[in-house]
Every structure is written in C-alpha cells, then in structure tokens.
C-alpha cells in the first residue's frame, strides 16, 4: 500500500502546485473581460499573424499549467491553432529547473530554449497554413450547401443570427460563454473554473503516475537508451506521456549521456504535459485533434533526427 500512498501524494502535490497559476490567469482573464480592455474575439495577438510568436514565448515559461490554459482557450476558440501548437512545442516543464541546477548544462539549456522557441514559431505558422487548407475548405463546402437550401431555411438562419446579435449586444460573452456583466465582477467564476480543471489534472496525474510507477522510471530510461538509431523516436513516445515524469526522465538521461541532443529536443517538443489529454476532453473534433498531434509529432521527429546525427556536445563546454 506504500506505493499507492506515494503515487497519491505525488499526484496531490503536482496538482496543487498548479492551482495558484490557474487561479491567477483566469482571474486576470475575468478582470480584462469585465473591464472590456481586452476582447479575445478581436485579439490579433492571440488569433492573428503574431499568435504563434506569442504562443512560443508564452510556452517557454517553465510551467506546465500554461499548456492546459492554452488548450482551454483554444477549445473556446480564443486563440489560433498556431498559438496552441507553439505553446505545446515551446514548453519544457521540468527540464528547465533540472538543467539550471547543473552548471555544465547551462549552454545546452540556452540552445535548447532557443531551438524550441524558433521551432515552435515555425511549426505554429505551418499549422495555421495547413489548418486553413484542410478545415477551411470543408467549411466553404458547408457554407455552399447552406446557401442552396430553400428560402424559408435561409430566413430562419438570418433570424437566428439577428437574435444572437441582439443577445450579444446585451451581454458580453466571456470565458466558458458565461455572461460578463459590466456592473458586477464575477469572483466565483475564476475560482470554480480553476477547481474544475484542478480536479481533472489530479485524476490524470493519478492515473499516469500509477502507470509510470508500475512500469518503472529505470525501465523507461533503459528503453530510451537501448538503441542509438531509435532514440529520437523513443524520446517522442516517452515525451507524449502526460506526466511530469516523462520530462524528468528525458532530461536526466540526456545529462547522464544516455540521449543525444536531437533526441531530447524531439522528446521535449512533444511533451505538452496534460495539454493533449485536456484537448481530448474539451475538443470533440477528432480530425482536429489528429491534425494537432501530427503537427507535433512529425516536425519534432524530423528536427530530432536532423540534430541527432550532428556531433553536438554542449555538456562539455563548461
């Protein structure tokens, strides 16, 4: 029973440490919506051409909670797909504090951060381009189908749109589509929203923490270092595990010489923490989820293998 207590305690700690960040971010969002200073629907920084850059910078902060918050905002269509994927790629979770604790790893850390930020921006823009090609085309077909319906159906649609506009003019819609009242600041919404997400995080941490415990971190490390040729691929598979243990294993193995620089770049580029699991919960469009995962995995493998065979020994500089 000791192992269950250990996994349970780790899950509680890993989850609770995200609560202050979740609450502060959602409190800030609520405040900005209340003041109408910043409307997500019209934000070019989060949905326009600059969104992948903002996502990459946002994700580079060593805090896995940002991938969850970004996923939540994307589910509400508050940020672009390019910004979401840029956040996923740029985030490195536990890798940064671990590498900062070892002076010899500082050069590798600096290069890792820069590579991941640039890579996140490029893949973010590529994702926006391909997303329009894949999904906007279907949207056009759907629009064309609607316009061919009888006139009565078109009138009903127009009437519904007018009603929606009238409603929107009366009540501003905020996060989670709740009404934002200019005369009253909703304190409870950030609290309730944060607690709901916290519960989900705890459940996922408990499930995958148990799996990692039974599999064993040593076995995962042996799996990663078993074949030099397959290291980037193995690193991506481990990196997709939605638990902080995956980034810890990748980082520790790299610092001990068991992984190449290309392999850790590939693994950490897909290591979006609980973001992907939360995406499955919030987004019911399976094709869109598959698209996002492919835009994470395929470019990360290409970059990982490109760097894998370049003789880079950043750990020996200091």
């Amino acid at each position: 029973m000791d192992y269950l207590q250990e996994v349970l305690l780790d899950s509680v700690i890993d989850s609770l440490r995200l609560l202050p960040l979740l609450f502060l971010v959602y409190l800030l969002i609520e405040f900005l919506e209340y003041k109408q200073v910043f409307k997500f629907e019209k934000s070019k920084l989060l949905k326009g051409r600059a969104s992948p850059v903002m996502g990459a910078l946002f994700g580079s902060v060593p805090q896995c909670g940002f991938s969850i918050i970004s996923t939540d905002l994307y589910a509400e269509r508050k940020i672009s797909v390019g910004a979401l994927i840029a956040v996923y790629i740029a985030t490195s979770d536990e890798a940064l504090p671990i590498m900062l604790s070892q002076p010899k790893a500082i050069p590798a850390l600096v290069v890792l951060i820069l590579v991941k930020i640039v890579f996140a921006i490029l893949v973010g823009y590529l994702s926006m381009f391909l997303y329009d090609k894949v999904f906007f085309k279907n949207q056009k077909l759907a629009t064309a189908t609607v316009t061919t319906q009888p006139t009565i159906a078109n009138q009903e649609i127009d009437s519904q749109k007018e009603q929606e506009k009238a409603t929107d003019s009366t009540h501003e819609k905020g996060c989670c589509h709740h009404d934002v009242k200019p005369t009253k600041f909703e304190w409870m919404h950030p609290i309730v929203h944060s607690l709901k997400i916290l519960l989900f995080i705890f459940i996922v941490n408990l499930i995958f923490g148990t799996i990692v415990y039974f599999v064993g971190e040593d076995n995962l490390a042996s799996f990663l270092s078993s074949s030099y040729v397959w290291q980037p691929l193995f690193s991506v598979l481990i990196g997709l595990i939605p638990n902080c243990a995956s980034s810890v294993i990748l980082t520790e193995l790299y610092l001990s010489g068991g992984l190449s620089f290309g392999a850790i770049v590939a693994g950490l580029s897909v290591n979006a923490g609980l973001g992907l699991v939360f995406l499955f919960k919030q987004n019911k469009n399976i094709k869109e989820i598959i698209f996002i995962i492919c835009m994470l995995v395929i470019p990360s493998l290409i970059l990982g293998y490109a760097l894998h065979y370049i003789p880079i020994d950043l750990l020996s500089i200091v």
Side-chain angles (χ1 to χ4, degrees):
M1 295 297 292
D2 290 340
Y3 69 87
L4 290 177
Q5 293 178 356
E6 182 179 345
V7 172
L8 181 61
L9 181 60
D10 289 342
S11 300
V12 171
I13 294 174
D14 289 342
S15 302
L16 286 179
R17 68 175 183 166
L18 294 178
L19 183 58
L21 173 68
L22 293 173
F23 175 70
L24 288 175
V25 171
Y26 286 119
L27 183 66
L28 177 61
I29 291 173
E30 185 72 22
F31 177 77
L32 293 175
E33 288 174 341
Y34 167 70
K35 290 293 186 181
Q36 298 185 7
V37 174
F38 187 76
K39 293 185 178 180
F40 286 108
E41 290 79 0
K42 299 179 180 180
S43 173
K44 294 182 179 180
L45 289 177
L46 298 181
K47 296 182 71 174
R49 293 182 179 179
S51 59
V53 178
M54 297 302 297
L57 296 176
F58 190 61
S60 63
V61 179
Q63 176 54 260
C64 62
F66 286 148
S67 66
I68 299 169
I69 294 168
S70 300
T71 304
D72 196 25
L73 293 176
Y74 177 73
E76 300 289 337
R77 293 301 187 263
K78 306 297 186 183
I79 65 174
S80 71
V81 67
L84 176 69
I85 292 176
V87 170
Y88 283 173
I89 292 176
T91 186
S92 297
D93 197 9
E94 303 294 337
L96 271 68
I98 292 175
M99 295 179 76
L100 280 172
S101 66
Q102 300 193 28
K104 71 171 185 177
I106 300 301
L109 176 61
V110 173
V111 176
L112 176 67
I113 293 174
L114 292 176
V115 168
K116 278 167 61 67
I117 289 177
V118 173
F119 182 54
I121 294 172
L122 293 177
V123 178
Y125 279 114
L126 178 62
S127 301
M128 292 177 69
F129 173 77
L130 294 179
Y131 185 90
D132 288 341
K133 296 294 182 182
V134 174
F135 293 98
F136 188 65
K137 186 177 180 180
N138 295 334
Q139 189 177 358
K140 278 185 176 180
L141 291 174
T143 304
T145 303
V146 171
T147 56
T148 60
Q149 298 298 317
T151 307
I152 296 177
N154 290 336
Q155 291 175 351
E156 291 178 353
I157 293 172
D158 293 338
S159 176
Q160 184 178 0
K161 287 182 178 179
E162 289 177 1
Q163 291 178 1
E164 290 176 354
K165 287 181 180 179
T167 303
D168 290 340
S169 62
T170 306
H171 299 285
E172 290 289 341
K173 291 295 181 182
C175 179
C176 302
H177 300 292
H178 74 289
D179 290 335
V180 179
K181 301 176 182 178
T183 58
K184 182 181 179 181
F185 183 75
E186 297 290 343
W187 286 96
M188 287 304 298
H189 177 259
I191 297 174
V192 174
H193 197 158
S194 300
L195 290 176
K196 284 181 179 179
I197 295 178
L198 183 70
L199 177 61
F200 176 79
I201 293 171
F202 170 72
I203 294 173
V204 173
N205 275 333
L206 186 61
I207 293 173
F208 283 94
T210 303
I211 294 173
V212 171
Y213 184 89
F214 279 109
V215 173
E217 294 188 10
D218 292 338
N219 292 330
L220 290 176
S222 298
F223 173 72
L224 280 171
S225 58
S226 59
S227 175
Y228 185 79
V229 176
W230 298 104
Q231 277 188 11
L233 176 60
F234 289 167
S235 297
V236 166
L237 294 176
I238 299 298
L240 287 171
I241 297 175
N243 188 277
C244 62
S246 57
S247 60
V248 172
I249 293 170
L250 290 171
T251 306
E252 293 288 358
L253 201 55
Y254 170 70
L255 294 177
S256 65
L259 275 186
S260 69
F261 183 73
I264 191 175
V265 168
L268 292 181
S269 293
V270 301
N271 189 239
L274 300 179
L276 285 176
V277 179
F278 198 61
L279 182 66
F280 275 93
K281 176 181 179 294
Q282 297 293 85
N283 194 337
K284 305 306 179 183
N285 190 332
I286 300 300
K287 290 183 179 179
E288 196 172 78
I289 294 174
I290 293 174
F291 173 82
I292 291 172
I293 293 176
C294 287
M295 291 307 302
L296 276 179
V297 172
I298 296 175
S300 297
L301 278 174
I302 294 173
L303 178 63
Y305 271 106
L307 297 174
H308 185 57
Y309 291 103
I310 297 177
I312 305 175
D313 188 10
L314 297 172
L315 297 177
S316 63
I317 295 177
V318 178

